Amino acid sequence: MKKIGLIVNPIAGIGGKAGLKGSDGEGTYLKALALGAVRESGRKALIAARMLKDVADETEIYTCPGEMGADICEAAGIDYRLPEVLYQGGAEDTIRAARVFAAEGADLILFAGGDGTARDIMDAVGMDTLVLGIPAGCKIHSGVYALNPRRAGELAVRYIRGQVRKIREAEVMDIDEELFRKGQVSARLYGYLNIPDDTRMVQNVKSGGTYGGEDSVEGLSDYIVDTWEPETLYIVGGGSTTAAVMKKKNLPNTLLGVDLVYEDQVIKSDCTEKEILHIIREYKRVNILVTVIGGQGYVFGRGNQQISAEVIRQVGREHIIVAASRDKMLHFVGKSLYADTGDEEVNQYLAGCMRVIVGYGEYVVIRVEV
Amino acid sequence: MGYYKQNRDFHEARWDEPFIMEMGNPGERGVLIPRASKEVREISGDVSELVPKGLRRKKAPVLPEVSQMQVLRHYMRLSQETIGTDLNIDIGLGTCTMKYSPKVHEQLVRTEKFQEIHPCQDESTVQGILEIMYKDAEYLKAISGMDKVSLQPAGGSQAIFANVQTIRAYFEDKGEGEQRNEIITTILSHPANPGTAATLGYKVITLYPDENGLPDIEALKTAVSRHTAALMITNPEDTGIYNDRIRQFVDIVHEAGGLCVYDQANLNGVFGLTRARDAGFDMCHYNLHKSFSSPHGCQGPGAGAQCVSEELARYVAAPTVEFDGDKYYLDYQRPDSIGKLRAFYGVPSVLIRAYAYIRSMGADGMKQIAELSILNNNYLIKKLLEIKGLSMPFARGRFRMEQARLSWQELTEETGVTTDDICRRIVDYGFQDYFTSHHPRVLPEPFTPEPVETYSKDDMDEYVAAFAAIAREAYTNPELVKGAPYKAALGARIDEECLTDWSRFATTWRAYRKL
């Protein structure tokens, strides 16, 4: 018997149809309703919830009252339980419910929403509870969401049946909605959540077993550590891939920040751009180590803004090391990576083909666009 | 005109058969060997004394003890639980080139002239098979445009391995062994290319396709350097798209001082139309069991041919078969050779079939193989793409050669039925499950058919009709498809995760019992 939490953010996605680019902030929500927006998230959650009917005997559903879950379960025809949560209205309710479900031992929390909802779930349960997003928001940059509601339902069913046992970290990303409504896109990496790892997309049955993202990160970390250059300052960007390298080197790491490493020591943790520019002056040889962030494939400009145009200009393109798992890079077949440093000259300097380390001594060459 | 069945009401035999290791009883035997006569025993002495002491077993091996009749029945049952290429329309195994293998060739292979020769026989007594092998190599030189051929490899991947060894030997001789430590390949080339390169210690650089579906030539320009040992590339790639810039690829790599290796495991689409050497390649290889027609599958029998230019001739795997104007012989006197790859001299049964195939097809016939397999494929694709939910999203509008990678993505989005589900369901219709994709799955929900030159229009129509029926099922009753197979030997679905979970792997009976 698996305990599954279901939380629906009823207002997620409402801004999109009303052309409001997101629904964060109460004012936006009311404005959207006034513009005649229809609540989409419930409908999308229902697609996934209906699929849980197949595994009803093996599942106990925890959900929230009304349109945050109970209505969806009723419509899907699945039994549910309403754990006691002190609801107070607003976005905080998502956090409160997720915390209670986790405390009650939920094996998996399914949540329907967008990037804002993913951040709420992250604030509530962090990486302690397995979660999976049903995409319902109007902006989805986070990797915690399945491709579509049906896939979310399918993956949940496979997890409940014990067919998916592996877990992987997925990015929680969001853009600043205030800036976004003004026409400026600036996504940030907020952290990670654990989701079931469905390897079906990359797994090939005929070859009789392959190795996935986890082994790839293991391999590339070993490789970067084994080829670590002496007497060189490394500017290590944020993200779980670079974190794996730091772990290999037995160094403390700032998951969402930039650390400076020289030989086997962290010189400075969680640096600002100013601090980086100040410190690199003292070193003859400097390398930048970054990973690819987000589904759109940013090498610079998302999640590591501290490594600014000026830093890149001083360090030089040939001293940039990009590493990302093989699975992640597969999303970019036929596409490009992006650099957005805010400085057109540096963006142009970064444009063109670049090597990305994907395993031990394994590279992919891919275009970087601006 | 034409005759095909929409539904053959197929049902495979299903026997709940134990492993052979679980069968039999102590003392049960297939053959009772008579005790040697006293006279013989006196001469031979104690049999166990014939085995050197250090090699003698202290305990008898744990082998199944089963009588002849029960063994026969066991394997007959297992044979009923497979769908061989002679039993079904085997179009689904794209990249495997499942063409008809003429039965007359089997008669050649099964004659006692071949069956009763031994690899340790003196060369003077096996001139016939040596002549066949020598001529195979000569024909392959003409087909590839290369200057030297070794028939040592037991299969395609071993031939690729031999080519990488040759790359290494060549640069070591040039004093550039340390420096040239990178091999470039493409994501849609066969995985044995990066695989063998990595096995031999090379760094592997993979190129992705650009928006046209061809390997990104700009990426190649960035990838080459003084570290480049070689480019290893398949063409057409798995997508069936022919890389018409291939000469430019070769030139870019040559300019950087690297070698170029053409993976021509499957020659079917370019047989008699293009030659590796003409495109500037230094090496190539053929899977002789594929395009040159041997019954293959389930790991053999295969044979690979390593073909190289004059400059690399001295490195090929030994022994090679040579002719001194008088007699054929095996040449081991090749001091620069990468050496032997396996016991004896390649896989002669496949080499005989390849010889017979080349002789019966002739030069014009070979060109026709390519033309027909391209024609067949384009007919098949056109018919398949009329099926709702199936598309060819990669590099839209580009011409496909002898195979194509299609995608069920639309059907999956709309019905939840995946390519793996359809792969199982097709068995209920009496076809072998199909090949989805080499690793990794670059295209979602892939399906890679290859109708080669030997399937008829009726065959292809019947094949397409089955998929059309499954697509209709997916849109009307998806659970039916997702629950398949129902009529196959294997009644229950296998948990997919066990295929990637090393902890549940067992390759021997002993390991299996430890699980």
Side-chain angles (χ1 to χ4, degrees):
Chain A
M1 184 66 79
K2 287 264 177 25
K3 294 173 184 167
I4 307 295
L6 175 68
I7 302 172
V8 179
N9 173 2
I11 63 163
I14 203 165
K17 294 255 163 118
L20 292 174
K21 302 179 178 173
S23 45
D24 295 359
E26 203 174 336
T28 312
Y29 168 55
L30 294 173
K31 199 169 166 190
L33 280 184
L35 287 167
V38 185
R39 299 183 176 198
E40 288 272 318
S41 60
R43 200 177 56 78
K44 287 180 173 159
L46 182 58
I47 295 172
R50 278 203 180 112
M51 303 181 80
L52 296 179
K53 227 178 149 174
D54 289 350
V55 283
D57 297 346
E58 306 152 64
T59 318
E60 188 179 358
I61 309 266
Y62 299 159
T63 193
C64 315
E67 55 185 357
M68 275 185 75
D71 290 356
I72 315 294
C73 292
E74 297 275 353
I78 49 175
D79 292 336
Y80 59 90
R81 210 162 69 75
L82 295 172
E84 207 167 302
V85 180
L86 206 62
Y87 293 104
Q88 291 170 5
E92 294 288 307
D93 279 355
T94 302
I95 298 175
R96 291 184 194 104
R99 278 198 184 127
V100 171
F101 296 174
E104 299 240 337
D107 296 293
L108 172 73
I109 296 178
L110 273 173
F111 62 95
D115 286 331
T117 319
R119 283 172 62 189
D120 290 339
I121 296 288
M122 191 182 81
D123 291 343
V125 301
M127 295 183 60
D128 299 332
T129 304
L130 194 62
V131 304
L132 178 64
I134 303 166
C138 40
K139 54 184 171 57
I140 306 265
H141 298 89
S142 302
V144 297
Y145 286 96
L147 203 60
N148 55 43
R150 181 193 289 279
R151 286 276 174 91
E154 251 179 33
L155 184 51
V157 168
R158 283 162 55 77
Y159 169 76
I160 291 162
R161 287 188 174 143
Q163 291 164 343
V164 177
R165 278 184 285 265
K166 289 183 190 155
I167 288 172
R168 71 175 168 93
E169 293 170 3
E171 295 156 329
V172 174
M173 307 223 8
D174 199 2
I175 54 171
D176 184 319
E177 293 202 355
E178 274 302 314
L179 286 176
F180 188 46
R181 274 189 285 273
K182 289 178 197 157
Q184 297 172 33
V185 183
S186 180
R188 273 184 58 193
L189 173 65
Y190 282 88
Y192 293 84
L193 281 165
N194 275 322
I195 66 168
D197 187 11
D198 187 11
T199 52
R200 202 170 53 81
M201 286 294 285
V202 287
Q203 164 184 315
N204 175 4
V205 175
K206 193 187 178 192
S207 71
T210 63
Y211 59 115
E214 205 180 301
D215 304 299
S216 170
V217 171
E218 182 78 16
L220 70 86
S221 307
D222 274 331
Y223 184 64
I224 291 169
V225 171
D226 287 355
T227 55
W228 196 270
E229 291 171 31
E231 292 170 38
T232 306
L233 180 77
Y234 276 70
I235 302 172
V236 181
S240 63
T241 307
T242 46
V245 177
M246 293 290 272
K247 198 176 162 200
K248 270 273 152 98
K249 281 192 76 70
N250 285 318
L251 293 174
N253 172 60
T254 313
L255 183 62
L256 303 176
V258 176
D259 298 326
L260 301 185
V261 181
Y262 183 75
E263 302 288 357
D264 290 324
Q265 279 194 340
V266 174
I267 302 293
K268 180 109 184 75
S269 283
D270 204 7
C271 301
T272 62
E273 181 207 0
K274 265 193 183 153
E275 288 168 329
I276 297 170
L277 286 172
H278 184 73
I279 294 172
I280 59 174
R281 264 188 272 152
E282 299 161 29
Y283 293 85
K284 264 196 204 141
R285 296 154 59 95
V286 182
N287 283 346
I288 293 174
L289 173 64
V290 288
T291 186
V292 176
I293 289 179
Q296 288 157 326
Y298 277 90
V299 182
F300 291 106
R302 303 286 182 273
N304 55 16
Q305 283 90 338
Q306 301 93 318
I307 306 174
S308 65
E310 188 50 37
V311 173
I312 294 165
R313 193 178 280 130
Q314 292 193 19
V315 174
R317 193 184 197 269
E318 65 279 19
H319 296 290
I320 296 170
I321 304 164
V322 185
S325 79
R326 204 179 289 111
D327 289 5
K328 183 164 209 171
M329 288 309 293
L330 278 182
H331 295 298
F332 305 108
V333 170
K335 298 179 195 159
S336 302
L337 297 182
Y338 288 91
D340 177 16
T341 61
D343 179 317
E344 197 44 37
E345 194 186 289
V346 172
N347 286 349
Q348 288 303 334
Y349 172 61
L350 289 171
C353 289
M354 210 176 238
R355 283 189 180 199
V356 178
I357 302 175
V358 297
Y360 198 96
E362 292 175 49
Y363 299 83
V364 156
V365 180
I366 188 163
R367 288 179 201 220
V368 175
E369 284 181 32
V370 295
Chain B
M1 266 271 289
Y3 172 82
Y4 71 86
K5 283 267 194 186
Q6 285 275 1
N7 184 352
R8 290 182 185 269
D9 197 18
F10 169 79
H11 203 305
E12 196 166 23
R14 186 180 300 164
W15 302 97
D16 188 1
E17 197 60 12
F19 288 108
I20 189 82
M21 300 299 291
E22 297 169 308
M23 292 170 60
N25 293 291
E28 219 174 285
R29 288 290 180 273
V31 181
L32 290 175
I33 301 165
R35 216 175 138 75
S37 66
K38 194 169 165 245
E39 225 178 336
V40 172
R41 282 207 304 275
E42 271 170 15
I43 298 167
S44 69
D46 185 0
V47 176
S48 58
E49 291 295 327
L50 296 174
V51 181
K53 214 171 179 184
L55 292 178
R56 269 179 234 160
R57 282 180 178 273
K58 291 183 182 69
K59 276 195 297 188
V62 185
L63 294 173
E65 298 176 82
V66 195
S67 69
Q68 229 174 73
M69 186 189 193
Q70 281 70 24
V71 170
L72 178 66
R73 193 167 62 212
H74 174 69
Y75 287 106
M76 284 303 288
R77 285 175 175 176
L78 294 189
S79 74
Q80 288 191 337
E81 294 187 306
T82 66
I83 302 183
T85 200
D86 287 342
L87 195 62
N88 84 121
I89 299 171
D90 212 358
I91 285 174
L93 287 185
T95 80
C96 294
T97 322
M98 305 308 284
K99 63 174 64 181
Y100 179 67
S101 297
K103 294 300 164 207
V104 66
H105 296 177
E106 299 312 301
Q107 289 183 25
L108 298 174
V109 170
R110 284 167 199 191
T111 59
E112 56 190 29
K113 284 181 185 171
F114 176 60
Q115 288 295 321
E116 297 189 359
I117 56 174
H118 192 277
C120 291
Q121 263 174 259
D122 190 83
E123 279 167 6
S124 65
T125 66
V126 287
Q127 285 291 300
I129 186 69
L130 290 179
E131 181 181 350
I132 286 175
M133 289 166 75
Y134 177 82
K135 288 186 172 165
D136 266 331
E138 291 299 304
Y139 290 133
L140 294 174
K141 276 156 68 173
I143 291 166
S144 62
M146 295 290 173
D147 302 302
K148 189 74 201 164
V149 170
S150 170
L151 300 170
Q152 258 282 296
S157 296
Q158 204 175 42
I160 298 175
F161 186 78
N163 281 342
V164 183
Q165 281 186 308
T166 302
I167 295 167
R168 192 168 63 176
Y170 172 76
F171 284 117
E172 273 173 8
D173 272 3
K174 277 186 85 174
E176 295 176 8
E178 294 263 310
Q179 173 200 328
R180 300 210 176 256
N181 58 0
E182 294 180 353
I183 283 181
I184 303 167
T185 186
T186 71
I187 191 108
L188 289 165
S189 285
H190 192 279
N193 291 289
T196 50
T199 303
L200 287 168
Y202 283 97
K203 292 183 193 177
V204 176
I205 300 162
T206 304
L207 310 179
Y208 284 172
D210 63 14
E211 59 282 0
N212 299 313
L214 294 178
D216 192 337
I217 200 160
E218 293 306 315
L220 176 70
K221 287 176 189 165
T222 306
V224 292
S225 70
R226 58 188 291 275
H227 295 295
T228 305
L231 168 73
M232 301 182 69
I233 192 167
T234 308
N235 187 27
E237 293 188 300
D238 275 10
T239 51
I241 298 171
Y242 183 76
N243 184 350
D244 50 12
R245 298 185 300 209
I246 196 70
R247 181 81 218 196
Q248 284 168 266
F249 274 67
V250 169
D251 291 344
I252 290 166
V253 174
H254 278 165
E255 215 158 284
L259 294 171
C260 294
V261 191
Y262 222 3
D263 177 339
Q264 299 208 294
N266 178 1
L267 192 64
N268 244 37
V270 292
F271 230 140
L273 299 180
T274 70
R275 301 200 310 169
R277 189 68 184 141
D278 297 345
F281 280 89
D282 305 290
M283 283 181 260
C284 70
H285 90 277
Y286 301 124
N287 289 21
L288 296 176
H289 49 281
K290 285 185 176 178
S291 301
F292 297 85
S293 184
S294 268
H296 63 284
C298 299
Q299 316 303 322
Q306 181 191 16
C307 314
V308 308
S309 68
E310 185 66 53
E311 201 182 0
L312 301 170
R314 59 202 175 103
Y315 301 109
V316 296
T320 54
V321 187
E322 308 293 348
F323 182 56
D324 64 8
D326 182 30
K327 61 178 197 315
Y328 299 94
Y329 64 100
L330 293 162
D331 184 8
Y332 288 93
Q333 303 307 313
R334 309 185 68 83
D336 298 320
S337 163
I338 57 166
K340 232 166 144 18
L341 294 169
R342 62 189 302 277
F344 300 118
Y345 328 114
V347 184
S349 64
V350 179
L351 300 177
I352 290 176
R353 294 188 188 98
Y355 176 80
Y357 192 72
I358 293 168
R359 290 302 302 255
S360 57
M361 298 308 297
D364 291 340
M366 278 174 203
K367 201 170 157 214
Q368 227 178 0
I369 293 169
E371 289 165 352
L372 278 177
S373 57
I374 293 167
L375 183 66
N376 264 4
N377 185 45
N378 280 277
Y379 175 75
L380 182 83
I381 299 173
K382 183 166 187 308
K383 298 290 278 188
L384 280 173
L385 291 178
E386 287 165 12
I387 296 173
K388 189 179 177 194
L390 183 60
S391 63
M392 192 161 70
F394 191 72
R396 273 179 209 279
R398 267 197 94 93
F399 186 75
R400 272 17 181 216
M401 302 281 281
E402 84 294 357
Q403 64 191 31
R405 183 148 298 158
L406 311 177
S407 170
W408 290 105
Q409 186 176 18
E410 277 172 43
L411 184 122
T412 304
E413 299 300 328
E414 287 163 15
T415 68
V417 171
T418 66
T419 191
D420 296 324
D421 296 325
I422 299 169
C423 213
R424 292 185 182 90
R425 181 62 177 154
I426 195 68
V427 181
D428 287 338
Y429 283 79
F431 300 93
Q432 173 155 228
D433 69 334
Y434 59 79
F435 182 51
T436 53
S437 164
H438 281 117
H439 179 80
R441 283 189 179 178
V442 173
L443 266 187
E445 306 304 330
F447 165 31
T448 312
E450 183 192 3
V452 299
E453 72 280 12
T454 48
Y455 287 102
S456 70
K457 180 174 170 298
D458 289 342
D459 288 338
M460 289 189 283
D461 288 341
E462 180 164 336
Y463 190 72
V464 172
F467 282 96
I470 294 172
R472 279 194 300 276
E473 288 170 355
Y475 281 101
T476 51
N477 185 4
E479 290 311 310
L480 175 74
V481 186
K482 290 184 88 63
Y486 306 97
K487 297 172 169 185
L490 198 65
R493 291 181 64 152
I494 294 175
D495 166 17
E496 288 166 18
E497 280 235 333
C498 72
L499 292 166
T500 50
D501 182 357
W502 305 113
S503 68
R504 286 192 279 170
F505 274 31
T507 50
T508 64
W509 177 246
R510 193 187 293 179
Y512 175 73
R513 280 196 304 181
K514 280 185 191 159
L515 284 183

